[in-house]
Amino acid sequence: KQTKMQRFWLVALVLSALAIAAVAQTEAQVYHAGSGLAYENLFSAGGRHTCFINSSKLLCWGDCELNNCFPPSDDFFSVSAGYWHTCALKLPAEGLPAEAGGDIVCWGSGYALQESVPPKGKAVAINAGFAHTCAVMAADRSLRCWGYKVDESEVPGGKFAAVVSAGNRQTCAVRLEDSAAVCFTLSEGGPSWEGELGPPGGAVC
């Protein structure tokens, strides 16, 4: 006879299998309903909350004290959760954005939105850090950053691939011409660690 503990674990395994199947189905629906781009970001876990794109609609949960979990009702194909803020790229009304990207939308509170606002124009990639956000713009593949004490003169110039990651003070992106990782720190008090800011050995992505 099965013990009560064995029955418990059996039910838990069945429920886990059903959950995995549901997520797999949801991911398939999101992919087909979204942009289909290699760089779309459907899940994002921030400092206090998490967001997920389900059939182009955003769902966010967690610590929502400063309205960081309450997205607009638009359709999106990429999302990034920061600490107290969230940014996403809108899915154009005409359908798949391809290389055209999507409009930048940010919401929530904190230094990241009080100090400056997102640039106008469409972006192909976006990432929200602790108190700043960076995006790769669609028109010229430039890297734009905004937020708490951000000096855009410190943001590297040139063209970038649709890959960017913003941390506490640091940001890394991939240069388009040679696929080299480019890392820099913004004027929020200098680097937060000792040693080299860039990746070891001039990493190529």
Side-chain angles (χ1 to χ4, degrees):
K1 292 183 178 181
Q2 289 182 330
T3 65
K4 186 179 293 185
M5 183 60 69
Q6 287 174 326
R7 287 196 297 270
F8 169 80
W9 284 113
L10 180 60
V11 171
L13 286 171
V14 171
L15 291 176
S16 298
L18 291 174
I20 291 171
V23 169
Q25 179 63 27
T26 299
E27 287 179 344
Q29 290 173 353
V30 171
Y31 180 82
H32 292 298
S35 68
L37 295 174
Y39 45 77
E40 64 185 357
N41 190 13
L42 305 178
F43 289 93
S44 184
R48 310 296 292 266
H49 66 295
T50 302
C51 292
F52 165 53
I53 297 178
N54 182 11
S55 296
S56 303
K57 296 298 182 182
L58 258 171
L59 305 173
C60 298
W61 62 94
D63 187 342
C64 305
E65 181 181 355
L66 296 179
N67 296 321
N68 45 298
C69 298
F70 305 109
S73 59
D74 303 285
D75 290 340
F76 295 94
F77 70 91
S78 185
V79 62
S80 181
Y83 194 76
W84 286 119
H85 73 294
T86 307
C87 291
L89 300 179
K90 291 175 62 175
L91 186 67
E94 59 269 21
L96 306 184
E99 294 300 317
D103 292 325
I104 300 170
V105 181
C106 296
W107 62 93
S109 188
Y111 297 120
L113 299 180
Q114 293 170 355
E115 292 287 322
S116 59
V117 297
K120 293 182 178 179
K122 298 182 184 298
V124 293
I126 193 165
N127 198 258
F130 177 77
H132 75 287
T133 305
C134 293
V136 178
M137 305 306 293
D140 57 3
R141 288 305 184 103
S142 64
L143 186 63
R144 299 289 305 276
C145 298
W146 64 96
Y148 180 62
K149 292 185 177 180
V150 169
D151 181 357
E152 277 218 279
S153 66
E154 299 179 355
V155 179
K159 295 185 177 183
F160 290 85
V163 180
V164 60
S165 181
N168 187 0
R169 299 188 182 112
Q170 302 77 32
T171 300
C172 290
V174 177
R175 197 163 50 212
L176 194 59
E177 60 180 288
D178 56 4
S179 298
V182 178
C183 297
F184 58 97
T185 195
L186 298 169
S187 57
E188 298 178 42
S192 62
W193 73 79
E194 295 180 357
E196 294 295 328
L197 179 62
V204 175
C205 302

